[in-house]
Amino acid sequence: MRAVDVILKKRQGLELTGEEISFLIHGYCDGTIADYQMSAWAMAVFFQGMTAQETSDLTMAMVDSGETVDLSQIAGIKVDKHSTGGVGDTTTLVLAPLVASIGVPVAKMSGRGLGHTGGTIDKLESIPGFSVESTTEQFVERVNSYGIAIMGQSDNITPADKKLYSLRDVTATVESIPLIASSIMSKKLAAGADRIVLDVKTGNGAFMQEKSGAVELARTMVEIGQRVGKQTIAIVSDMSRPLGSAIGNALEVAEAIETLKGKGSRNLAELCLRLGAQMAVLAKVAPDEQSALKLLEHALNSGQATRKMQEFIRIHGGDERVVEDLTLLPQAQRQEIVSATRSGYISGIAAMELGTCAMLLGAGRQTKASAIDLAVGIKLHHQVGDYVKLGEALATLYVNDSKNLSIVAQRVAGAFRFSEVPVTPPPLIYETVSQ
Ligand code: URA
Ligand code: CA
């Protein structure tokens, strides 16, 4: 087989066989197929697309390029949740203890973040003492004993995806639905869960800005799951505004704790309940979505979810008192209020812009090597639809290094759009896609 023939076949819009796809992916990984050939192929895919069978073959070829995680020693049906990412998206921090508290085993492998704030691991490390260092045996033992554990993801998962994603990034071939779907699903499948719940975000704070593209991505990923025998459900949710009110590592942990106590932002709680219900049904902890929602709401109202969060923190060496006393989290030296420069109804909040502002304050990594400041970030005081008066606080900036402060303050104020007439916020969930 020659790479040039496979590239030509794709360029002509023909369907590649599983062998041809596997030949390309394995050749690319072992260096016998060059970057320029893989780039040409990715561009051909960008224009010609891929069939459902090709997309699932590509996914499995990438899974096979590296290690896969074996969770078979953990009792019960393991359901993994993945979000395509957004701004102020604290769902994992809420969902993990929430669903664990009703009996869904949570075996979370997570990573560090690149972009507006850290990843789940960075956020959890803002809890004093919290450590994700563990052996696989400890991890398995914790999930079996407590129903919940987290550990850092192995670097040896889906090396083909890492290499191809970096290449796509510099060859204008990222925005291809089959390439994105196989990239995300390969990582999820290699991580070993039995079932997968996907939160596909759409709007200006999301990777897929257009709703139609997000729905197509969701369908493509659910179809991959079906073809490879891992039941997958996707929710398409709104990211045209920040989901919660906190953007920043410790601030998001604080918001997650408030949400577990029933006090956090309503949208965040609502999305967690909906995602959690899908997880509970897939894990066979509840027979249907309605009864799953009842169990989850009870867990929030009774303190059961909060107690699971305390336990989760304690078994990872963290100071569980943070759940009762949020001031034990890292605190920024300075708080700066951003006020409304006019009165009116908030008609939009540019989520991505706020994410960039949080990063400029030090909450996120601009490059893989950057250090992050766990204490800093942005807390929003209003959401889309609220009426605010001139001079009212829109947001508080939590600051340690004042270097970018004045520009960030201006940009945060500019991220709010206003209307003279009342505004109806967009729906939180657009669609649920299942097999
Ligand atoms: N996220 C991924 O993991 N892969 C893509 O291709 C795009 C977004
Ligand atoms: Ca995730």
Side-chain angles (χ1 to χ4, degrees):
M1 212 179 281
R2 295 191 313 159
V4 63
D5 300 323
V6 182
I7 298 166
L8 175 64
K9 190 171 173 189
K10 186 76 269 181
R11 197 193 79 189
Q12 292 170 331
L14 302 172
E15 183 177 44
L16 301 182
T17 64
E19 290 71 37
E20 285 164 335
I21 289 171
S22 166
F23 164 77
L24 278 185
I25 292 300
H26 292 115
Y28 186 47
C29 276
D30 67 24
T32 54
I33 292 176
D35 275 347
Y36 49 80
Q37 291 182 305
M38 220 48 201
S39 314
W41 174 79
M43 190 59 86
V45 170
F46 180 89
F47 284 112
Q48 295 290 5
M50 288 216 260
T51 64
Q53 189 56 46
E54 286 178 300
T55 310
S56 81
D57 287 342
L58 174 60
T59 306
M60 290 317 291
M62 295 203 290
V63 170
D64 290 339
S65 72
E67 269 176 29
T68 55
V69 181
D70 177 8
L71 299 179
S72 61
Q73 295 309 305
I74 297 172
I77 301 172
K78 281 76 67 183
V79 185
D80 200 0
K81 190 263 334 178
H82 176 78
S83 157
T84 58
V87 177
D89 180 5
T90 311
T91 52
T92 299
L93 295 175
V94 178
L95 265 173
L98 175 58
V99 300
S101 79
I102 66 162
V104 177
V106 174
K108 189 78 193 155
M109 306 254 176
S110 210
R112 290 178 199 283
L114 187 62
H116 15 84
T117 65
T120 301
I121 288 184
D122 300 299
K123 292 173 194 178
L124 286 169
E125 282 175 349
S126 70
I127 297 167
F130 197 106
S131 167
V132 297
E133 297 302 320
S134 77
T135 62
T136 308
E137 291 71 40
Q138 273 174 317
F139 174 70
V140 166
E141 217 279 308
R142 281 173 182 163
V143 187
N144 282 332
S145 307
Y146 301 99
I148 185 167
I150 187 164
M151 75 181 280
Q153 188 144 47
S154 156
D155 287 334
N156 307 323
I157 279 191
T158 60
D161 171 62
K162 286 198 188 83
K163 210 171 162 190
L164 183 57
Y165 197 7
S166 314
L167 186 75
R168 287 164 55 211
D169 209 22
V170 293
T171 55
T173 49
V174 169
E175 294 88 354
S176 152
I177 290 193
L179 294 181
I180 299 169
S182 53
S183 167
I184 294 173
M185 286 299 283
S186 67
K187 285 175 279 211
K188 286 291 112 182
L189 293 169
D194 303 309
R195 313 259 195 276
I196 299 165
V197 173
L198 300 165
D199 178 16
V200 181
K201 309 261 187 211
T202 181
N204 72 53
F207 178 72
M208 295 304 284
Q209 308 229 330
E210 299 298 326
K211 187 192 148 210
S212 57
V215 171
E216 196 187 331
L217 177 62
R219 292 202 180 119
T220 306
M221 293 193 289
V222 168
E223 166 111 40
I224 294 171
Q226 184 167 25
R227 279 172 185 264
V228 306
K230 296 263 176 177
Q231 204 181 346
T232 302
I233 288 181
I235 283 181
V236 179
S237 71
D238 182 68
M239 190 36 83
S240 67
R241 63 209 144 142
L243 177 62
S245 64
I247 309 167
N249 299 283
L251 294 171
E252 290 180 37
V253 170
E255 177 159 51
I257 292 170
E258 297 278 34
T259 305
L260 288 167
K261 292 179 177 170
K263 288 187 283 192
S265 97
R266 289 224 336 269
N267 284 340
L268 175 60
E270 175 68 22
L271 183 60
C272 288
L273 285 169
R274 296 284 295 272
L275 289 166
Q278 299 294 348
M279 294 172 80
V281 172
L282 286 182
K284 299 200 189 309
V285 162
D288 55 54
E289 206 178 330
Q290 280 316 310
S291 39
L293 282 171
K294 278 214 186 83
L295 289 175
L296 293 166
E297 275 160 11
H298 177 260
L300 288 179
N301 298 331
S302 64
Q304 188 180 322
T306 312
R307 285 193 295 279
K308 187 52 80 174
M309 181 66 156
Q310 280 170 323
E311 190 170 62
F312 175 52
I313 294 171
R314 177 163 42 80
I315 62 176
H316 292 82
D319 185 349
E320 67 184 273
R321 294 173 308 161
V322 299
V323 173
E324 298 304 334
D325 181 0
L326 296 174
T327 66
L328 294 170
L329 291 167
Q331 305 287 310
Q333 284 157 20
R334 228 174 123 176
Q335 295 182 17
E336 191 79 21
I337 305 265
V338 175
S339 313
T341 51
R342 54 166 289 182
S343 301
Y345 295 91
I346 299 175
S347 59
I349 303 178
M352 195 61 98
E353 174 70 356
L354 292 180
T356 304
C357 288
M359 187 165 73
L360 289 172
L361 292 175
R365 292 186 181 83
Q366 266 159 316
T367 67
K368 264 188 201 157
S370 327
I372 54 177
D373 185 336
L374 296 170
V376 303
I378 303 169
K379 183 98 190 149
L380 304 177
H381 302 305
H382 289 285
Q383 261 298 354
V384 172
D386 290 359
Y387 180 79
V388 294
K389 290 208 187 84
L390 170 72
E392 211 178 308
L394 293 175
T396 301
L397 310 182
Y398 291 77
V399 184
N400 277 330
D401 179 349
S402 300
K403 189 176 60 185
N404 296 322
L405 181 56
S406 61
I407 180 78
V408 167
Q410 269 177 38
R411 286 178 66 167
V412 169
F416 287 78
R417 286 188 303 281
F418 293 91
S419 150
E420 302 286 334
V421 291
V423 171
T424 312
L428 178 63
I429 292 172
Y430 292 106
E431 206 163 318
T432 302
V433 180
S434 58
Q435 286 158 3

